[in-house]
Amino acid sequence: MKNNFEADIAIIGGTGLYQLDDFEELERRKLVTRWGDPSSELILSRYKNKTLIFLARHGLQHNIPPHKVNYRANLWALKECGVKQVIGVAAVGGITEKMSPETIVIPDQIIDYTYSRKHTYFEDELDQVTHIDFTEPYTEDLRSRLLLASDNAIDGGTYAATQGPRLETAAEINKLRIDGSDIVGMTGMPEASLAREIELEYACCALSVNWAAGCAGTKKIDHKEMLEIVDKGMLKIHSILKNILK
């Protein structure tokens, strides 16, 4: 497989990113791992003579909710295809003042509020207990490359990873703000920590698609408006991905 279906870098697409426009699709493969099936086929693509692998986190039809994503299978499948660097694209809600809708954020920290997810490879048939260093959850070199590839992405911020699939209450968002969170999403963990466990470089490219509950005077989240921002924001994401491959 690695002779003709491999790449150094992979993109995991979140809500709104189900394909890479202007990228030449070379091949699709459905893989099965020891951890189960990935969310979608892996798509080998090319841009400017650079190859990459794309995987749709929620499935190509966007039918897998955040708490049902098989994060272990997704990362493992990418590792088996020779991937060394992973960019996780995510749609998030803005909590703090700078994180207004349409803002792109390259976070540098994360707080995990999820539960009951398969969050580690190190749990069965171990020779010894394994602890990974997760002080800095994102790979700094990859973060820097994303920032260089973007005109105005925000450098840093804390991603609050919540369980979903429901959106949060205003009181919950207020607690996240008190805890030091800047943005909130549902897929940041355990994706980041699993990548660290299998020694994949990992960074998140987040698009703020709405104010989180109760922020900026928000009374109710408008899903139609949110989807419009997703469509516009993903054009910016595409531009960043092209630049990083250049």
Side-chain angles (χ1 to χ4, degrees), residues 67-132:
H67 66 297
K68 288 292 188 179
V69 172
N70 191 338
Y71 298 93
R72 293 194 296 186
N74 286 350
L75 275 299
W76 196 268
L78 296 177
K79 179 81 170 182
E80 287 189 336
C81 292
V83 168
K84 298 178 177 63
Q85 300 177 324
V86 177
I87 297 172
V89 177
V92 300
I95 298 176
T96 50
E97 183 179 353
K98 292 182 179 180
M99 307 303 179
S100 59
E102 298 189 40
T103 298
I104 292 175
V105 189
I106 312 300
D108 61 350
Q109 279 295 329
I110 195 165
I111 303 176
D112 188 7
Y113 298 94
T114 67
Y115 51 87
S116 301
R117 298 185 181 189
K118 299 293 186 180
H119 66 277
T120 182
Y121 296 108
F122 300 130
E123 59 181 3
D124 296 314
E125 301 177 4
L126 300 178
D127 294 329
Q128 61 181 16
V129 176
T130 302
H131 303 284
I132 59 165

Side-chain angles (χ1 to χ4, degrees), residues 7-8 38 85 90 103 123 127 138 141-142 151 170 195 207 235:
D8 289 336
Q85 300 177 324
T103 298
E123 59 181 3
D127 294 329
Y138 302 109
D141 178 65
L142 194 52
D151 292 331
L207 169 68
L235 294 176

Side-chain angles (χ1 to χ4, degrees), residues 46-62:
R46 179 165 55 206
Y47 181 76
K48 298 290 186 183
N49 296 319
K50 297 289 182 67
T51 56
L52 75 156
I53 291 175
F54 177 80
L55 186 153
R57 185 187 290 117
H58 297 285
L60 294 172
Q61 304 303 318
H62 196 248

